[in-house]
Amino acid sequence: MSHLTGKRVAILASDGFEESELLEPLRALREHGAEVDVVSPGSGTIQGMRHFDKGESVKVDRKVGDASAGDYDALVIPGGLFNPDALRNDDDAIRFTRAFFEAGKPVGAICHGPWVLVNAGVVEDRELTSVANIQRDLENAGARWVDREVVVDQGLVTSRTPKDLPAFCAKLVEEIAEGRHAGQEAAA
């Protein structure tokens, strides 16, 4: 189960991330041999949420302003309501996210996470899913939104909610193992 050995993955998150949407991909990636860093606009720790209640805090490994997509093989953006809303308004987070698409590297986003992709300008003509209440935002940005537990479009892996995490994590591991995707670069 170590087919991600040698791969380095960034999980981009801030306060208000949905706990399971960060911790379950983190666990799955590490179980498959990947080195994973939590990257955030600030340093120290970030506060997770279990829907509307406080959950676990997670240690930040690297500030996004000091991070480069060149240091990583893939990016994961967990959801939660507050996390993606903060990230989509952070210039360093947007720059960091866009750079993964420009390099054709796999990206995973779940729940409200695709909000960050909208502000990064990378969803036009892409098929993806998300939590249903941001469907219109994605469509207005040019995405083709579908209601499925997991959608893969040239290295971009998206899912709707925590109930989709098993499928999301499995496809994420698969896409990262495959490496760069030429179609991902075309979308940036």
Side-chain angles (χ1 to χ4, degrees):
M1 288 200 58
S2 60
H3 56 286
L4 296 182
T5 300
K7 301 282 188 177
R8 192 166 177 210
V9 181
I11 296 180
L12 179 61
S14 68
D15 285 322
F17 66 87
E18 182 65 34
E19 181 184 275
S20 63
E21 294 174 358
L22 187 150
L23 295 179
E24 288 190 35
L26 174 69
R27 179 189 46 75
L29 293 166
R30 285 184 175 160
E31 282 178 358
H32 284 87
E35 180 183 334
V36 184
D37 287 342
V38 174
V39 178
S40 185
S43 56
T45 60
I46 51 176
Q47 179 64 56
M49 302 294 289
R50 288 185 198 117
H51 208 54
F52 295 111
D53 299 320
K54 281 189 176 181
E56 283 187 45
S57 291
V58 173
K59 180 186 167 292
V60 172
D61 297 302
R62 198 166 188 191
K63 287 179 67 172
V64 71
D66 299 331
S68 167
D71 296 334
Y72 298 96
D73 297 292
L75 173 67
V76 178
I77 305 171
L81 181 59
F82 306 108
N83 170 58
D85 194 45
L87 293 174
R88 70 183 178 150
N89 290 299
D90 183 283
D91 291 339
D92 289 330
I94 295 304
R95 171 197 52 77
F96 187 64
T97 300
R98 189 177 300 118
F100 281 87
F101 284 84
E102 291 168 351
K105 295 179 179 182
V107 174
I110 186 168
C111 191
H112 288 82
W115 259 348
V116 179
L117 306 180
V118 168
N119 284 31
V122 296
V123 299
E124 188 170 357
D125 295 325
R126 303 298 294 266
E127 183 174 88
L128 58 127
T129 195
S130 67
V131 65
N133 62 343
I134 69 167
Q135 172 184 349
R136 183 76 48 157
D137 297 333
L138 294 168
E139 290 172 341
N140 287 342
R144 293 182 314 278
W145 189 90
V146 295
D147 185 14
R148 291 199 308 261
E149 70 177 353
V150 66
V151 175
V152 180
D153 184 335
Q154 295 295 318
L156 173 60
V157 180
T158 54
S159 283
R160 302 169 300 192
T161 65
K163 71 178 173 30
D164 299 328
L165 278 164
F168 179 72
C169 291
K171 280 298 184 185
L172 194 58
V173 167
E174 181 181 314
E175 292 300 304
I176 293 170
E178 288 178 10
R180 294 179 186 262
H181 293 73
Q184 185 82 307
E185 287 180 62

